[in-house]
Amino acid sequence: HGKVNMASALCYSCNCYFINLIEKIGFKKVLESAADLGFGSSVELAYGMKTYSGSLPQLKELESAEARANFSFGQGALSANIIQVASLYAAIANGGKYTEPYLVQGLCDEDGEIFSSHISKSPFRLFSSENTNLISSFLELAVREGTGKAAAVADINVCGKTATAQSGEFIQGSERLVTWFAGYFPYESPEYAVVIMCDDGESGSVDCAPVFSKTVTANINNY
């Protein structure tokens, strides 16, 4: 991609930028932030229903430059589920505050009155509002000009990012890819975070970004 800054690196999915960035930031800080965001841990969405924990690399693994490079752009020993990715984007949309996700609001009686409400954990700040505003501007650019163009929606600005993850599994000589688009909307005052994932896809821009666009359009048109 030539010489890029963070905005254009996100816009055009330049892995090389983030390989260099993790060396400057320090992999320990990146690993700690990922753990704070819930990566590598399961979450109880409702009584008796937990998410898959996924995995994070161990500190010792990241002593390898190759492992750090993979981790810097979300591959290698890192695995994640849709809930974890949605929580990350929701935290950015929420000005840097992370709230643990849940599925059931509460239990209700035959009249529909809730008699036992879910007790949410208090949100905690992971990023400064200044940094999240900056990241949001980068993610809006990625949809407006970059790999996420197919996620654009008429008359509303959205934020998001494509991803294409290698699985390491080969079928008839072709590797199975897991493709993604994650984002939130509206850009100016976010209300919803949405993650689209396709197992055995082509790319995030081809498989998932158009579905995100249709999902947002259906939402603003009240289905």
Side-chain angles (χ1 to χ4, degrees):
H1 297 100
K3 191 173 182 179
V4 296
N5 57 19
M6 188 180 288
S8 53
L10 275 171
C11 186
Y12 300 110
S13 292
C14 183
N15 292 340
C16 298
Y17 177 90
F18 297 99
I19 292 172
N20 282 279
L21 185 62
I22 198 171
E23 297 297 332
K24 293 182 178 181
I25 295 175
F27 65 88
K28 291 182 181 179
K29 289 182 179 179
V30 178
L31 188 61
E32 288 171 1
S33 294
D36 287 341
L37 279 162
F39 290 94
S41 302
S42 64
V43 172
E44 188 171 43
L45 294 175
Y47 180 74
M49 183 185 294
K50 291 187 176 182
T51 64
Y52 171 65
S53 64
S55 60
L56 282 174
Q58 300 297 311
L59 277 174
K60 190 173 182 180
E61 292 178 73
L62 295 178
E63 292 174 3
S64 158
E66 292 84 355
R68 292 196 298 274
N70 277 324
F71 180 51
S72 72
F73 55 87
Q75 294 205 160
L78 172 69
S79 63
N81 61 55
I82 290 177
I83 297 293
Q84 290 165 332
V85 176
S87 297
L88 165 60
Y89 277 77
I92 298 170
N94 196 33
K97 292 182 179 179
Y98 172 81
T99 303
E100 187 174 281
Y102 60 94
L103 183 63
V104 176
Q105 181 68 42
L107 303 176
C108 62
D109 57 25
E110 59 186 9
D111 296 320
E113 297 294 325
I114 294 178
F115 63 85
S116 177
S117 298
H118 170 82
I119 300 175
S120 300
K121 292 184 179 179
S122 298
F124 60 92
R125 181 167 293 282
L126 276 175
F127 315 112
S128 70
S129 56
E130 180 182 8
N131 283 343
T132 52
N133 288 339
L134 197 60
I135 293 170
S136 284
S137 70
F138 298 163
L139 295 173
E140 190 273 336
L141 179 67
V143 174
R144 180 161 41 89
E145 297 184 9
T147 59
K149 280 184 177 180
V153 179
D155 302 323
I156 182 173
N157 295 321
V158 301
C159 300
K161 179 75 183 71
T162 57
T164 302
Q166 296 169 273
S167 69
E169 298 177 6
F170 289 82
I171 302 171
Q172 297 180 341
S174 297
E175 186 173 17
R176 180 178 65 82
L177 301 176
V178 180
T179 59
W180 301 72
F181 186 89
Y184 50 87
F185 66 97
Y187 165 48
E188 296 80 5
S189 182
E191 294 183 35
Y192 302 97
V194 178
V195 179
I196 309 297
M197 187 197 81
C198 176
D199 199 352
D200 194 15
E202 180 180 343
S203 72
S205 58
V206 171
D207 307 310
C208 303
V211 179
F212 177 90
S213 177
K214 291 179 181 179
T215 301
V216 175
T217 300
N219 179 280
I220 61 180
N221 290 334
N222 295 317
Y223 310 104

